[in-house]
């Protein structure tokens, strides 16, 4: 996706809203997957990983990439909704006319918001490390407990804001898009002449794609919440299952994007063709 969209921008010498979203989304997911693999490698083979500042940096960047990926996927759903859905409300028409102008600001603002909501994880890890390593006395134990509760409350608040907002945007726009496509598809089925209608099949395929996006997004959201709730021990089976699901869902979403768009299908088809020619 990143290669095709970048090549398209270079050829046309302009960056469309769709290519902009796809570049941001694919790049954030590529970095997220790479970061998860590097984090797993260090947790398995680096004995001092949990004691060094490296752990703080890795977890903070991990949360930033997570939040960014969620936001970019949400904006892709909004873009699809404004371009495909046929609602007549004044706000929807206003958004439909200005989505190309607003998209760079939406991507930039969500990136800054993701950065802001990921920073408290660094503070929280530092505070927890200081609280557990500093000598405990009767005079400062109650103050330390109050500090930990306040830090935990702030972390939960920002974490919920960082996750809940893109989830709400994605779910609302996806449901609106599915509803609009379903209504239009029903009307086309009623007016069908009995012959195979490519437009009708395209609408049904679009409904399946959007529904799969919504399912994968929600599935990704659940293990992310479990990881953030800190109920698993490091390197436990529960944590491994959650990380495996979190790695699989963006991959599945990217595969659906590739196979539902002829523009993206062309490149892997060419690669497979050349590979088969070399093998023969």
């Amino acid at each position: 996706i990143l290669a095709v969209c970048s090549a398209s921008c270079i050829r046309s010498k302009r960056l469309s809203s769709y290519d902009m979203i796809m570049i941001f989304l694919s790049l954030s997911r590529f970095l997220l997957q790479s970061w998860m693999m590097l984090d797993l490698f260090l947790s398995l083979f680096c004995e001092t990983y949990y004691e060094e500042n490296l752990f703080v940096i890795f977890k903070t960047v991990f949360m930033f990439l997570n939040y960014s990926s969620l936001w970019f996927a949400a904006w892709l759903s909004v873009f699809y909704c404004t371009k495909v859905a046929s609602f007549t409300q004044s706000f929807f028409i206003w958004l439909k006319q200005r989505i190309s102008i607003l998209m760079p600001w939406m991507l930039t603002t969500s990136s800054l918001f993701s950065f802001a909501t990921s920073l408290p994880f660094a503070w929280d890890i530092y505070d927890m490390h200081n609280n557990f390593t500093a000598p405990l006395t009767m005079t400062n134990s109650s103050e330390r407990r109050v500090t930990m509760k306040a830090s935990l409350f702030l972390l939960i608040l920002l974490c919920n804001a960082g996750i809940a907002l893109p989830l709400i945007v994605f779910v609302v726009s996806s449901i609106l898009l599915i509803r609009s496509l379903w209504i239009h598809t029903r009307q086309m089925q009623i007016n069908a002449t009995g012959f195979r209608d490519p437009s009708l099949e395209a609408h049904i395929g679009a409904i399946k794609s959007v529904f799969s996006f919504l399912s994968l997004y929600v599935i990704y959201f659940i293990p992310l919440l479990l990881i953030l709730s800190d109920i698993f021990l490091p390197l436990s089976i529960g944590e491994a299952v959650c990380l495996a699901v979190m790695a699989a869902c963006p991959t599945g979403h990217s595969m659906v994007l590739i196979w539902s768009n002829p523009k993206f299908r062309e490149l892997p088809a060419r690669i497979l063709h050349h590979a088969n020619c070399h093998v023969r």
Side-chain angles (χ1 to χ4, degrees), residues 118-190:
S118 62
L119 282 180
F121 282 86
W123 300 334
D124 182 70
I125 295 172
Y126 272 124
D127 288 342
M128 289 179 63
H129 178 75
N130 291 333
N131 284 323
F132 284 115
T133 55
L136 183 65
T137 63
M138 294 298 294
T139 56
N140 65 4
S141 61
S142 59
E143 295 178 3
R144 196 173 299 169
R145 198 175 297 114
V146 171
T147 303
M148 289 183 67
K149 286 182 178 179
S151 175
L152 183 61
F153 176 76
L154 177 62
L155 182 66
I156 292 174
L157 186 65
L158 289 170
C159 172
N160 288 335
I163 296 178
L165 290 179
L167 177 69
I168 292 170
V169 172
F170 189 96
V171 170
V172 170
S173 58
S174 297
I175 291 175
L176 289 174
L177 179 55
I178 292 173
R179 181 174 177 272
S180 177
L181 287 169
W182 179 253
I183 292 172
H184 193 54
T185 302
R186 293 292 295 175
Q187 291 174 348
M188 295 174 67
Q189 287 175 337
I190 293 172

Side-chain angles (χ1 to χ4, degrees), residues 30-94:
F30 175 76
L31 293 175
L32 177 61
Q33 298 282 51
S34 303
W35 206 260
M36 288 175 68
M37 289 190 292
L38 185 58
D39 177 66
L40 179 62
F41 177 82
L42 290 175
S43 63
L44 289 173
F45 300 105
C46 184
E47 295 181 357
T48 60
Y49 176 55
Y50 292 101
E51 302 172 2
E52 302 283 343
N53 294 338
L54 189 65
F55 178 71
V56 178
I57 297 172
F58 261 77
K59 291 306 176 185
T60 306
V61 174
F62 172 74
M63 292 312 305
F64 167 70
L65 293 173
N66 256 304
Y67 289 153
S68 299
S69 179
L70 291 173
W71 271 113
F72 299 152
W75 294 138
L76 179 63
S77 180
V78 171
F79 182 82
Y80 282 154
C81 186
T82 56
K83 291 298 181 181
V84 178
S86 55
F87 298 109
T88 57
Q89 284 78 7
S90 57
F91 174 75
F92 185 81
I93 295 174
W94 177 86

Side-chain angles (χ1 to χ4, degrees), residues 251-263:
T251 305
H253 186 240
S254 299
M255 293 302 297
V256 175
L257 283 173
I258 291 171
W259 295 116
S260 62
N261 191 326
K263 175 181 173 182

